[in-house]
Amino acid sequence: MEVVIRQHDQQCGVTAADIVADAVRCGATTLGLATGSSPLSVYRELIRRHRKEGLSFADVQAFLLDEYVGLPPSHPQSYAHVIRAEFTDHVGIDSARVHSPNGIADDIFTAATEYDTQIGTSGPIDVQLLGIATNGHIGFNEPGSSLGSRTRVKTLTEQTRHDNARFFTGVDEVPRHVITQGLGTICEARHLVLIATGSRKAEAVAAAVEGPLTASYPASVLQLHPHVTPVVDEAAAGQLKNADFYRYALKNKPPQQKY
Ligand code: GLP
């Protein structure tokens, strides 16, 4: 892993946007997108570059990590709707090229398997953006998720439903079930970029980056991936034991590597 510690949320957004923009300029055509508040600064920066610097997403398709069961894409809190409103509509990625699990399918179990297959046949995903929840989940892979899991239907923890209630009129409105890319599916992306900001993410970040490999902290599976860049602000880095070394290593990178 190459841990990048930045001062503030906005700087994290610029660093992660650099990675995505470099990849797209070098021919990446498949992006993995995450919802939640963590990647918003990345999307804002990419939209700015698209408008001001002509960064083109003309050849890009996108895959979402997850979707609520029971919310149609027209629902303002469905992730299919959120990602269009926050990012893809603003950079010219046609909605037909923004793929997400079908949370209103008659057979959601088959829909999950089909989505996994679609990622496999259209992929691999070149750069996958990830947030992390306070309980260490990525996508909606709650604690206890198999580290090799594929896209499937999951039940949300009460903590996650409460965390996400801020986007709804109340916790009772938050669906109990989701379709999420599995941890094994996520790890097939070429480059994983995890964004975490704020002190409430510090414990989860430390567990993901330095803790034991365990299904109890699903994000710890990132330790098995050959190319992961956690981009965190100082507050989210607060519990990293090796933070000083990560800063040192970033300043003393081998010359052929760059940001
Ligand atoms: C949801 C999403 C995750 C996201 C998490 C954290 O559970 N399914 O992909 O990482 O929220 O969200 P936030 O970035 O708002 O803290």
Side-chain angles (χ1 to χ4, degrees), residues 18-259:
D18 283 345
I19 294 170
V20 174
D22 281 354
V24 169
R25 281 197 203 93
C26 291
T29 56
T30 306
L31 297 180
L33 302 179
T35 45
S37 45
S38 304
L40 289 180
S41 59
V42 189
Y43 297 145
R44 277 195 297 271
E45 178 62 17
L46 289 170
I47 292 166
R48 190 193 69 73
R49 293 181 194 197
H50 174 71
R51 290 180 178 156
K52 305 277 186 211
E53 300 170 8
L55 177 65
S56 172
F57 292 86
D59 298 324
V60 167
Q61 64 171 345
F63 284 90
L64 291 198
L65 280 173
D66 44 17
E67 183 57 280
Y68 290 110
V69 167
L71 299 193
S74 57
H75 190 288
Q77 292 313 326
S78 76
Y79 284 168
H81 186 279
V82 166
I83 202 67
R84 289 182 56 182
E86 287 171 350
F87 181 52
T88 54
D89 276 358
H90 304 285
V91 295
I93 306 179
D94 189 86
S95 57
R97 285 185 289 120
V98 181
H99 311 291
S100 54
N102 182 358
I104 54 165
D106 289 340
D107 180 347
I108 51 175
F109 302 96
T110 301
T113 306
E114 286 174 353
Y115 189 62
D116 203 85
T117 303
Q118 189 185 7
I119 295 168
T121 52
S122 304
I125 289 169
D126 293 299
V127 180
Q128 173 68 59
L129 296 176
L130 296 167
I132 185 170
T134 51
N135 68 359
H137 81 217
I138 53 175
F140 268 131
N141 291 281
E142 297 286 34
S145 291
S146 157
L147 300 181
S149 51
R150 310 302 307 181
T151 304
R152 67 218 184 285
V153 177
K154 286 290 285 182
T155 301
L156 295 180
T157 64
E158 284 303 298
Q159 182 185 338
T160 296
R161 293 183 68 239
H162 278 94
D163 282 352
N164 290 2
R166 67 190 192 278
F167 299 114
F168 294 81
T169 48
V171 70
D172 291 341
E173 303 300 315
V174 182
R176 292 181 187 280
H177 300 108
V178 295
I179 298 175
T180 181
Q181 284 189 38
L183 297 170
T185 317
I186 291 169
C187 284
E188 283 170 5
R190 287 197 169 114
H191 187 180
L192 303 176
V193 180
L194 176 81
I195 302 122
T197 59
S199 57
R200 52 190 285 278
K201 298 291 176 69
E203 184 183 348
V205 167
V209 174
E210 298 177 339
L213 181 66
T214 169
S216 297
Y217 267 104
S220 65
V221 76
L222 302 183
Q223 295 172 27
L224 293 175
H225 193 282
H227 195 187
V228 185
T229 310
V231 182
V232 301
D233 69 359
E234 289 287 352
Q239 292 190 32
L240 288 171
K241 290 192 182 71
N242 300 318
D244 285 343
F245 174 69
Y246 304 140
R247 292 189 188 92
Y248 172 86
L250 199 64
K251 279 188 191 138
N252 294 280
K253 286 166 79 83
Q256 74 272 24
Q257 293 183 312
K258 72 172 185 77
Y259 262 115

